[in-house]
Amino acid sequence: MTLIPENLRARLASNGAAQPETDHIPLVKLFDPCGPATWLVTEMMADGDTLFGLADLGFGCPELGSFSLSEMETVKGAFGLGIERDIHFVGRFPLCVYAAAARNKGRIVEAEAILRRFAAALGIAQSPEFEIPSPEQEHGDG
């Protein structure tokens, strides 16, 4: 499986070209199938390799930052398995909500109730800007 198919690359690149302070909804979730590491990706820079998002390596301190797609594609963990993309992931809130919840819980969380609570605390309401895209729009095989 391609970690990031072309349709998502285009959307991530568009986000990467947007205003620097834009708080995008994560479009891609990557994970280690044999460990706790998880990444929520919102942007791809013009070089086509540098990704930006929320990284949780499983040490209890998730953080926002950049990481390399080409490096992630070469990682081999237990049993020779590489990093995978969660094809069922659909981001529902801007990245700041995931980051606030992750800092509080010490890990990336996807529980809707927890995320809604943090969104409310940040003054972020579910709005048309943050509509949930259909899986067909978000996830292509590749």
Side-chain angles (χ1 to χ4, degrees), residues 4 12 30 41 43-44 49-53 65-67 69 72:
I4 302 180
L12 290 167
L30 302 174
V41 185
E43 302 163 48
M44 178 181 282
D49 182 60
T50 305
L51 304 173
F52 179 81
S66 298
F67 34 95
L69 175 60
M72 295 187 83

Side-chain angles (χ1 to χ4, degrees), residues 36-82:
T38 305
W39 297 263
L40 297 181
V41 185
T42 59
E43 302 163 48
M44 178 181 282
M45 301 306 129
D47 64 9
D49 182 60
T50 305
L51 304 173
F52 179 81
L54 182 62
D56 178 1
L57 300 181
F59 301 120
C61 51
E63 61 185 16
L64 294 171
S66 298
F67 34 95
S68 167
L69 175 60
S70 60
E71 285 183 23
M72 295 187 83
E73 291 173 332
T74 64
V75 170
K76 294 294 181 215
F79 310 110
L81 297 173

Side-chain angles (χ1 to χ4, degrees), residues 1-9 11-12 25-31 40-41 84-92 110 132-142:
M1 175 197 323
T2 302
L3 271 184
I4 302 180
E6 286 304 316
N7 65 322
L8 289 173
R9 280 178 177 263
R11 298 225 17 232
L12 290 167
I25 293 175
L27 298 175
V28 176
K29 176 185 173 186
L30 302 174
F31 67 97
L40 297 181
V41 185
E84 295 186 17
R85 175 174 47 93
D86 180 347
I87 63 171
H88 301 289
F89 174 77
V90 177
R92 300 183 187 284
E110 294 180 62
I132 300 168
S134 71
E136 295 80 30
Q137 292 171 321
E138 291 299 315
H139 307 293
D141 292 328

